[in-house]
Structure formats: structure tokens, C-alpha cells
Amino acid sequence: MIDKVLSKKLKSLITIRVIFVTLLLGSFFILQVGYRDFPHPRSTLNLIIALYTLTIVYAILLKRVKMYALFAYVQLFIDASAVNMLIYLTGGIESWFSFIMPLTVMSAGTVLNKRAGYIIATFNSILYGIIIDLQYYRVLPLEYDTTLTEKAFLYNIFAHISAFYLVAFLSGYLSSRLEKTSQALEQTDSDLRDLELFNEEIIENIPSGIFTTDIKGRILIFNRAAEDITGIGRKIALRQKIDGIFPFINPPIPPLPKGGERELETMEGVISHRKEGDRIIHLTVSELRDITEKSRGFVGIFQDITQLKKMEAEIKHKEKWAAIGELSANIAHEIRNPIASLKGSVEMLRENIVTEEHKKRLTEIALKEMDRLNNIISDFLTYSSPRPAEFHTFDLNLMLDDTLELLAHTASVRENLTITKNFNGPLFVSADQQKLRQVFWNLGMNAIEAMPSGGELSVNSRESDDFAEIIFRDTGAGIPRENLGKIFYPFFTTKDEGTGLGLAIAYRIIEEHNGKINITSNNNGTTFKVIIPNVNGKA
Ligand code: ADP
Ligand code: MG
């Protein structure tokens, strides 16, 4: 990895050097500049030609050499020596070529590292310092302008050395920065690739079917589970539109409001599997948006729920039979009690051993038990074979008024029991008046029965949104928590004379009206809240 980078850098070093030397050589031949000014024009030309030859040698060696760093150092030292030689040959302190020395420092800093930059800078400083010093003391056979003072020489050396180190610092700094940035980029790049692979793995291995489509519904991704569930291979799927695979997506994909919330569309439908026949599919589709919130298509996730549906149907079937069984047992129990006491009374009457007064009482008991039997049976009939609801528009408040009036006149209402109404004006609903009357009658009777020693039943009704809300609140004993879940069951009763069918019937009727019954209860009383839709006759 590092070797590869270094060999690439060496290649560019060699190339740049060729260009540089060629330019220098070319200008020498073409322009003949300095031919007269240079003290040693011939040797200068020779040096340039030697460098050119060396370059060819480097280029050949580059393919064979293994120790790139050493190879780089050799080149850099030769470069630096050659430049100093060039400077010597072209006049020492008066040479035009001292600008090339910082270039050798720079190439050391960029090709290798900061340290190499400083090494070449030091090497240059020593060589250059020696040449200029020796020139000043006239040890070297180099002429110079006699106006140049010792100070000028020293300053020249100082300026050059400063430049070398500055360049070494800058090039080393820049190249290490560059290195770090490119390393970070490479890391990010490979992280992204890993993430992409990871995502693909996840999508492939998720046990739910997943697809994505473009804006027009053409399939782009179709995972393994999708293939299994639909029985359609990916290659075929990728050539289709989504409604070709899920015909129940119709219109192909729901148009979504612009800039609106990401909507989820859930649907169920049937597809025909190549091998397994009809399958029921549960599918959720939502829009796919990019980071700029622009719509890119759709993403869907789906499961085969055929088996689940089958089980659900089986359970429902079983539950139905269990409920019928329980109901029959309850009816038998409810009917057997009054029959037993009826039988008892009649037997005693037959024995003819009772007094006249006793006879009267027994007859009364027999009649009462017969009434009770009759009640149970008619309540049960209302519960078990209800006539279908007939919806008409009527004033609910008026009907409530009537019902409460009748309740107030029943035998069980004593003096210390008050019934208050908190509603006025008409409240029109579309419902089955007969059936709703039965609901409110049952709720009212229960409230009265819950307050044997008096209290208050208050009835409210109001309209909210498209619903009518009717509230029966009593100050009775309340319903114990453990019974709250059972009071709507048929035959659940806590009363000696109760049938346990009142609330069961009420529940069924409210359900028929798509309404709801809520209960809250504590030992200060109980509140039943009935909610029914279709206010103002709106169906
Ligand atoms: P029943 O009135 O014949 O017992 P219901 O179905 O009308 O049958 O009521 C079932 C049971 O729910 C009652 O036996 C009673 O225990 C309880 N219940 C219903 N309404 C009230 C109420 N307002 N206050 C206290 N308990 C109630
Ligand atoms: Mg009741």
C-alpha cells in the first residue's frame, strides 16, 4: 500500500525532473543564454546531459528496485548535489540557478516526508555554504563582482538556508495534511462500502418480503423473502410493475399529499402463488423520499398471512360453539330454578294438607315463578334472535324523556329516589328507536335496582362532533372491580331475581349502531356512557 503510493510519487518525481531538465537543456541549445556569462558553459551542458542520462537510469531502475525509500533518498541526494554543482559551474553566488535548491527540498518533503525535507535542506545548506564560503576566500577558481562585500556573502548564505528550512517545513506540513485527508477519505469510502453491503445483507435476510419501486411503480429491489412469498423470481419481478405482482394494489400506489406526513397504507389481498395456490398477503406501503424530501418511489413490506387467517377462522368457530354450550347450560340453570319452586308449590297444593291462607300464598309463588320464567324467555329471545335494526331519524331527547317518565312510575321507585334530566332541545339521530329505548330502559332499571335505599339517577345527553353521548349516573353501591369485566356477559347477575341479560342486550344493540358503552364505577356510584354515531340523521 505505502510502497505503491511511494512508487507513484517517484514516477512523478522522475517525470517532473525530465521536463525540468529538458526545458533547461532546450533553452541552452535554442537560446544559447548565458553561454558567454557562465564561467564553465561546457561543463554546465555536460552536467545537464548527465542528469538527463541519470533520469533514464532511474526510470529503468524503478521497475526493479524494491526499497523505494532508499531509492528516493539516492535520487534526492544526487539531485541536490547536481544542483549545487550547477550553481558552482554557473558562478556560485552570482549563479541564476540557486532557485532550484528549494525545489529539491520540496520534492524530498512531498515524495518522502517532513524528515527527508529537513535532511535535504541541511544537505543543501552545508554544500551551498561551503561553495559560497570557498568562493569568498577565493579557494575555488570562481570570479565574482568585487563590489560584493563579506556581509553580502553572509546574507546570501543566511537567506538561502532560511529558504531551505522554510520550504522543508511547508512541504512536509502540506504533504502530511494531504496524506491524512486522503487516508480519511479512503476510510470513509470503505466504511460506506461496508455499510452498503451490510444494508443489502439485512434486506436480503429479513423474513418479511420487501420491495422498492420507482415513482412509476417499477420494481427496483425484491428480496429473498419476497421471492418465496410470491413464488416469483427476482429476475422476473424486476421487469414488472408492482400491480403486476400484487393486483390488489389499486390504484397502483396511493397518491400522497405534497409535503405531507409520510403516510403508511396498509392493505390485505390475495395473490396466486405458482405452486401453493391462493395466498393472503398483508402489505404496508409507504413513500420513499430522499434527504431533500423529494419523492423517489415506494417501499413495501409484506407477509403471507394465509396460515394466520386460517387459524383465526378455526378459533372463531371453536369459540362460537363454546359460547353456545355455555349459554345452553346457563339457560337450563336459570329455568330449572323457577320450575323447581313451581313444582314444589303445585305438589303441596295437591297434597291438600295446607290451610286456605297457605294455599293462596303458594298460588302466588307459582304465578310469580311463571312470570319469571316468562321474563327469562322473552329476555333471552330478545338477546338471541334480535330482529334487524331499522334506522329512522328521531329526537333522542324526546325518547329519553318518555323512557325516564315510565321508569319513574315503576313499582321499585321509592320516594327518596330522584331522577334528574340534564338535557333540553331536540337531538336528532338516525337509529332504531325501539331498540335504543330498550337500552336506556335496562340502564335505568339497573341504576334504580342499585339504589334500594334511595339516591339519585341523573341522565345527561349531548352532541359532540358527529356523536350523541348519553350518560346514566347513579349514586348506588357501584360494581366491584372483579365484576367489571363480566357484567356484559349473558346471564351474569348478582341479583336474586335478575336474569343477567339486561346489559348483554344493551351491548348488542349499541354494537349494532356502531356505538360504544363505557363504564366507570366506584363505591359512590356507577356511570354508564353510551356513544352513538349518526347524529342529525347523517348516516
Ligand atoms: P341483571 O340486572 O338482571 O342482574 P344486567 O345485565 O342488567 O342483569 O346486569 C348485570 C349485573 O351488573 C347486575 O347484576 C349488577 O351486578 C351489575 N350492574 C349493572 N348495572 C349496575 C349499576 N348501575 N350499579 C351497580 N351494579 C350494576
Ligand atoms: Mg338489569
Side-chain angles (χ1 to χ4, degrees):
M1 183 69 189
I2 292 169
D3 275 2
K4 228 168 116 191
V5 175
L6 193 53
S7 103
K8 231 165 120 187
K9 280 181 175 175
L10 277 175
K11 231 180 251 168
S12 12
L13 177 68
I14 293 169
T15 314
I16 290 168
R17 190 187 298 112
V18 170
I19 294 169
F20 196 82
V21 172
T22 307
L23 279 175
L24 221 56
L25 188 71
S27 58
F28 243 79
F29 274 121
I30 295 163
L31 301 172
Q32 300 272 308
V33 268
Y35 238 77
R36 277 163 303 276
D37 305 337
F38 295 163
H40 309 284
R42 259 245 78 81
S43 315
T44 310
L45 194 59
N46 284 342
L47 178 74
I48 292 171
I49 292 169
L51 266 182
Y52 206 71
T53 322
L54 259 183
T55 294
I56 297 170
V57 175
Y58 294 155
I60 296 169
L61 278 180
L62 185 63
K63 294 220 176 80
R64 322 233 156 129
V65 156
K66 289 270 145 56
M67 292 147 85
Y68 287 109
L70 185 68
F71 188 42
Y73 266 117
V74 168
Q75 286 189 40
L76 291 167
F77 274 113
I78 290 178
D79 280 351
S81 314
V83 173
N84 275 288
M85 182 71 98
L86 183 67
I87 287 165
Y88 167 69
L89 291 176
T90 54
I93 193 164
E94 287 179 359
S95 170
W96 300 0
F97 294 111
S98 63
F99 75 92
I100 306 178
M101 282 185 296
L103 294 186
T104 61
V105 176
M106 199 157 88
S107 41
T110 44
V111 170
L112 285 166
N113 47 36
K114 212 186 275 183
R115 204 169 56 143
Y118 284 122
I119 289 173
I120 296 300
T122 310
F123 184 65
N124 270 332
S125 303
I126 294 167
L127 274 188
Y128 188 71
I130 290 172
I131 290 172
I132 300 303
D133 260 352
L134 294 183
Q135 183 178 25
Y136 176 72
Y137 293 115
R138 298 185 188 281
V139 177
L140 290 174
L142 269 178
E143 295 299 318
Y144 58 87
D145 198 336
T146 43
T147 55
L148 286 171
T149 59
E150 184 184 9
K151 215 164 138 193
F153 271 83
L154 283 178
Y155 181 72
N156 180 286
I157 295 173
F158 169 74
H160 275 86
I161 292 177
S162 317
F164 299 154
Y165 283 101
L166 193 65
V167 170
F169 169 73
L170 279 178
S171 60
Y173 173 74
L174 287 178
S175 72
S176 72
R177 282 302 295 263
L178 202 70
E179 195 109 318
K180 265 182 207 150
T181 316
S182 68
Q183 264 171 15
L185 268 177
E186 229 158 74
Q187 186 61 43
T188 319
D189 223 40
S190 83
D191 284 355
L192 272 177
R193 258 197 313 277
D194 285 353
L195 191 67
E196 214 166 279
L197 273 178
F198 184 59
N199 280 341
E200 264 168 35
E201 283 298 302
I202 291 178
I203 289 174
E204 257 324 275
N205 290 307
I206 268 179
S208 297
I210 290 178
F211 66 78
T212 64
T213 75
D214 63 10
I215 267 293
K216 293 196 171 133
R218 281 184 296 245
I219 293 174
L220 301 174
I221 288 178
F222 204 68
N223 74 346
R224 194 152 41 213
E227 289 181 306
D228 291 346
I229 295 171
T230 58
I232 297 172
R234 181 167 321 175
K235 278 201 187 123
I236 296 169
L238 293 188
R239 272 186 261 128
Q240 295 202 32
K241 280 194 162 189
I242 195 62
D243 49 333
I245 293 178
F246 303 108
F248 54 86
I249 300 187
N250 187 31
I253 276 164
L256 295 158
K258 265 203 186 119
E261 279 291 297
R262 209 164 297 230
E263 293 209 349
L264 285 180
E265 182 94 359
T266 301
M267 46 195 115
E268 264 177 42
V270 178
I271 60 166
S272 66
H273 190 284
R274 204 155 34 90
K275 288 185 202 135
E276 295 165 26
D278 282 357
R279 312 299 297 173
I280 306 171
I281 302 291
H282 177 92
L283 173 70
T284 307
V285 194
S286 76
E287 201 179 7
L288 201 60
R289 290 189 199 165
D290 63 15
I291 31 173
T292 64
E293 284 295 302
K294 206 172 142 229
S295 184
R296 301 304 295 262
F298 298 89
V299 54
I301 179 160
F302 58 95
Q303 290 88 19
D304 182 343
I305 53 164
T306 317
Q307 209 56 29
L308 205 70
K309 284 270 159 185
K310 221 162 134 188
M311 265 159 53
E312 217 174 74
E314 266 166 30
I315 289 171
K316 259 195 194 142
H317 191 72
K318 276 186 192 148
E319 269 177 358
K320 200 166 143 191
W321 280 106
I324 289 173
E326 196 187 343
L327 213 58
S328 319
N330 281 329
I331 299 170
H333 179 76
E334 287 299 316
I335 292 179
R336 202 168 268 159
N337 281 344
I339 285 180
S341 81
L342 199 63
K343 192 178 171 206
S345 310
V346 174
E347 267 173 354
M348 280 172 96
L349 285 171
R350 189 184 58 183
E351 302 283 299
N352 230 350
I353 46 164
V354 286
T355 58
E356 267 316 295
E357 194 196 340
H358 206 165
K359 245 186 205 166
K360 211 176 144 208
R361 265 204 60 206
L362 284 174
T363 319
E364 258 165 24
I365 289 176
L367 283 172
K368 217 174 121 201
E369 291 302 331
M370 279 185 219
D371 274 348
R372 200 169 144 209
L373 265 177
N374 204 20
N375 269 343
I376 291 172
I377 287 168
S378 55
D379 271 2
F380 184 68
L381 282 179
T382 319
Y383 175 75
S384 63
S385 54
R387 62 171 177 80
E390 283 168 25
F391 287 75
H392 296 287
T393 301
F394 64 93
D395 180 357
L396 183 99
N397 283 347
L398 198 66
M399 181 270 269
L400 267 179
D401 233 4
D402 275 1
T403 313
L404 295 179
E405 193 65 32
L406 279 176
L407 268 176
H409 287 106
T410 53
S412 31
V413 173
R414 280 156 295 275
E415 274 179 7
N416 48 1
L417 197 144
T418 50
I419 298 179
T420 51
K421 302 177 274 189
N422 300 301
F423 49 83
N424 45 40
L427 170 49
F428 285 101
V429 294
S430 169
D432 188 314
Q433 180 163 6
Q434 208 50 45
K435 291 193 170 206
L436 283 191
R437 190 188 288 274
Q438 166 111 55
V439 171
F440 298 132
W441 175 266
N442 292 358
L443 292 182
M445 276 311 274
N446 280 348
I448 291 167
E449 285 161 8
M451 303 183 285
S453 46
E456 183 187 358
L457 164 63
S458 69
V459 179
N460 293 11
S461 85
R462 64 190 183 103
E463 186 185 330
S464 73
D465 294 330
D466 279 344
F467 294 89
E469 204 177 82
I470 305 99
I471 296 170
F472 276 64
R473 179 178 294 123
D474 66 58
T475 57
I479 303 170
R481 188 178 292 272
E482 65 269 21
N483 285 353
L484 273 180
K486 298 184 237 166
I487 55 171
F488 290 108
Y489 289 172
F491 299 112
F492 177 81
T493 179
T494 55
K495 301 165 194 166
D496 291 341
E497 305 279 292
T499 62
L501 286 169
L503 287 180
I505 291 169
Y507 187 84
R508 176 167 266 182
I509 292 171
I510 295 306
E511 208 176 36
E512 237 182 328
H513 283 78
N514 292 318
K516 263 190 209 145
I517 303 187
N518 292 333
I519 332 155
T520 45
S521 185
N522 55 34
N523 30 10
N524 294 325
T526 306
T527 304
F528 279 85
K529 183 155 117 188
V530 177
I531 295 171
I532 51 168
N534 303 340
V535 164
N536 292 327
K538 275 185 265 168

